[in-house]
């Protein structure tokens, strides 16, 4: 695996892949890699000739009171994992390389960026859209792999690619969970063992909703109540949002008969966690 820290070198390496007619898959990450990330790398490797991974903790997508400084940085461990998996390129630019002094261009997917996590984290999706646009221009991948766990991010990035006519196909891979159901996240590293147990309430709330849907409840307002109620049963968790929306537009849907994204965000201690499921109501 080749480690690359400059944009010029990464562009040259990726353009060389394109010249040889090989397909290039790309996995953008902020490091602190877990099985969720590794599943994206494996998906890329099984679909593409060459796989590039980036590790860049993007300051632009963190709010002033968020966890930029303490975000886990485990570069050597991450690089070893990627090497083992057989990734071809690891792009690991510094902040100055990506955002040199004087940079003043941002990418904003206007409406979608204010929904779900965007509503709670102003500026977050502007930061994500800007860095992903830059990374896509540097790598110019044929396929880019993202996790369903960040469902709102997926919606924003699909819209971005569509609106800007980018020649990249977004491939969304399923959420990877721990054995007890906790969705894998780099931020799980912040949790104490007690909080780790409390965090299971997110998945539990989604399962309650799924069961209710399977039992014939399709009314979103009622399903949201069921989900919120489940969260209140864990006194240490503080709900941010519980929403039932269209997975592409992130608009609320009144009932789930035609399928919907059920998404939850909650704080456990100071750690904000997210999770979601896609429900499809079986025909009555
Ligand atoms: O999902 C993430 O880890 C980040 O939002 C991404 C896509 C790497 C952009 O910084």
């Amino acid at each position: 695996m080749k480690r690359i820290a400059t944009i010029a070198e990464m562009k040259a390496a990726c353009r060389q892949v394109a010249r040889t007619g090989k397909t290039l898959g790309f996995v953008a990450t902020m490091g602190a890699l877990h099985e969720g990330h590794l599943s994206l790398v494996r998906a890329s490797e099984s679909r593409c000739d060459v796989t590039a991974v980036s590790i860049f903790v993007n300051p632009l997508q963190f709010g002033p009171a968020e966890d930029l400084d303490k975000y886990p940085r485990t570069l050597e461990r991450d690089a070893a994992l990627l090497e083992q998996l057989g990734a071809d390129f690891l792009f690991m630019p510094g902040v100055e390389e990506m955002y040199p002094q004087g940079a003043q261009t941002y990418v904003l997917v206007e409406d979608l960026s204010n929904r779900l996590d965007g509503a709670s984290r102003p500026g977050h999706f502007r930061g994500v859209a800007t860095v992903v646009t830059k990374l896509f221009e540097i790598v110019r991948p044929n396929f880019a792999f993202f996790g369903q766990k960040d469902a709102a991010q997926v919606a924003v990035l699909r819209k971005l690619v569509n609106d800007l006519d980018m020649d990249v196909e977004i491939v969304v891979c399923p959420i990877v969970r721990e054995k007890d159901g906790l969705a894998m996240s780099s931020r799980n590293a912040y949790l104490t063992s007690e909080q780790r147990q409390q965090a299971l309430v997110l998945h539990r709330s989604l399962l309650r909703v799924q069961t209710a849907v399977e039992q014939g409840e399709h009314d979103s307002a009622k399903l949201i109540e069921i989900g919120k109620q489940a969260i209140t049963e864990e006194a240490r968790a503080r709900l941010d949002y519980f929403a039932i929306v269209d997975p592409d537009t992130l608009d609320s849907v009144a009932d789930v008969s035609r399928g919907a994204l059920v998404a939850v965000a909650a704080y456990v201690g100071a750690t904000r966690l997210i999770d979601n499921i896609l429900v499809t109501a079986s025909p009555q």
Side-chain angles (χ1 to χ4, degrees):
M1 181 179 71
K2 192 152 191 242
R3 294 190 194 193
I4 300 176
T6 68
I7 292 172
E9 207 191 328
M10 188 63 184
K11 277 188 173 177
C14 295
R15 299 301 178 272
Q16 179 58 26
V17 173
R19 268 196 296 278
T20 56
K22 291 184 171 159
T23 52
L24 180 54
F26 178 49
V27 180
T29 82
M30 299 205 301
L33 302 183
H34 51 66
E35 267 305 313
H37 298 112
L38 302 186
S39 75
L40 304 179
V41 176
R42 287 191 198 99
S44 173
E45 287 176 344
S46 66
R47 187 145 179 182
C48 305
D49 300 318
V50 176
T51 291
V53 179
S54 65
I55 295 182
F56 178 62
V57 182
N58 174 33
L60 216 57
Q61 70 189 72
F62 289 79
E66 291 185 356
D67 55 343
L68 174 62
D69 291 339
K70 69 167 189 174
Y71 198 83
R73 287 161 171 88
T74 55
L75 188 58
E76 282 315 313
R77 185 186 154 274
D78 293 347
L81 286 170
L82 293 171
E83 185 98 51
Q84 257 174 36
L85 275 187
D88 298 281
F89 301 123
L90 170 57
F91 182 47
M92 25 172 258
V95 174
E96 267 298 302
E97 180 73 7
M98 288 296 278
Y99 302 119
Q101 282 282 317
Q104 50 179 285
T105 304
Y106 300 94
V107 179
L108 178 63
V109 180
E110 283 199 336
D111 204 19
L112 281 177
S113 290
N114 300 324
R115 307 202 174 185
L116 298 188
D117 308 290
S120 324
R121 305 182 64 189
H124 171 67
F125 285 127
R126 185 182 78 146
V128 171
T130 301
V131 80
V132 170
T133 301
K134 284 176 69 80
L135 290 167
F136 279 179
E137 177 51 23
I138 294 163
V139 177
R140 294 203 192 148
N142 302 98
F143 299 91
F145 298 80
F146 293 92
Q148 170 63 24
K149 185 175 143 273
D150 299 305
Q153 171 168 282
V154 164
V156 168
L157 294 179
R158 280 201 163 125
K159 190 85 181 110
L160 168 79
V161 161
N162 187 64
D163 287 356
L164 297 185
D165 310 301
M166 292 177 170
D167 281 328
V168 53
E169 185 177 321
I170 303 276
V171 183
V172 181
C173 299
I175 296 178
V176 179
R177 299 183 179 281
E178 305 281 359
K179 280 201 184 70
D180 57 11
L182 184 69
M184 292 209 182
S185 162
S186 304
R187 290 190 168 95
N188 292 349
Y190 299 149
L191 302 172
T192 64
S193 56
E194 259 188 9
Q195 290 173 333
R196 169 74 185 60
Q197 285 307 306
Q198 294 156 6
L200 294 175
V201 74
L202 277 85
H203 187 228
R204 209 156 52 231
S205 71
L206 296 171
L207 291 180
R208 287 267 180 94
V209 169
Q210 182 157 37
T211 304
V213 173
E214 282 161 9
Q215 290 170 349
E217 182 59 79
H218 294 176
D219 183 281
S220 295
K222 291 193 181 132
L223 292 168
I224 288 171
E225 269 322 301
I226 291 170
K228 283 184 170 172
Q229 173 59 34
I231 297 286
T232 62
E233 288 166 18
E234 176 48 72
R236 301 292 175 83
R238 185 164 56 83
L239 184 68
D240 179 2
Y241 66 72
F242 199 101
I244 300 188
V245 298
D246 177 286
D248 295 320
T249 63
L250 304 182
D251 284 333
S252 297
V253 292
D255 80 272
V256 301
S257 307
R258 286 199 272 158
L261 170 73
V262 183
V264 60
Y267 290 88
V268 175
T271 306
R272 185 175 178 281
L273 299 171
I274 59 174
D275 199 350
N276 68 81
I277 50 167
L278 288 161
V279 290
T280 38
S282 47
Q284 292 292 301

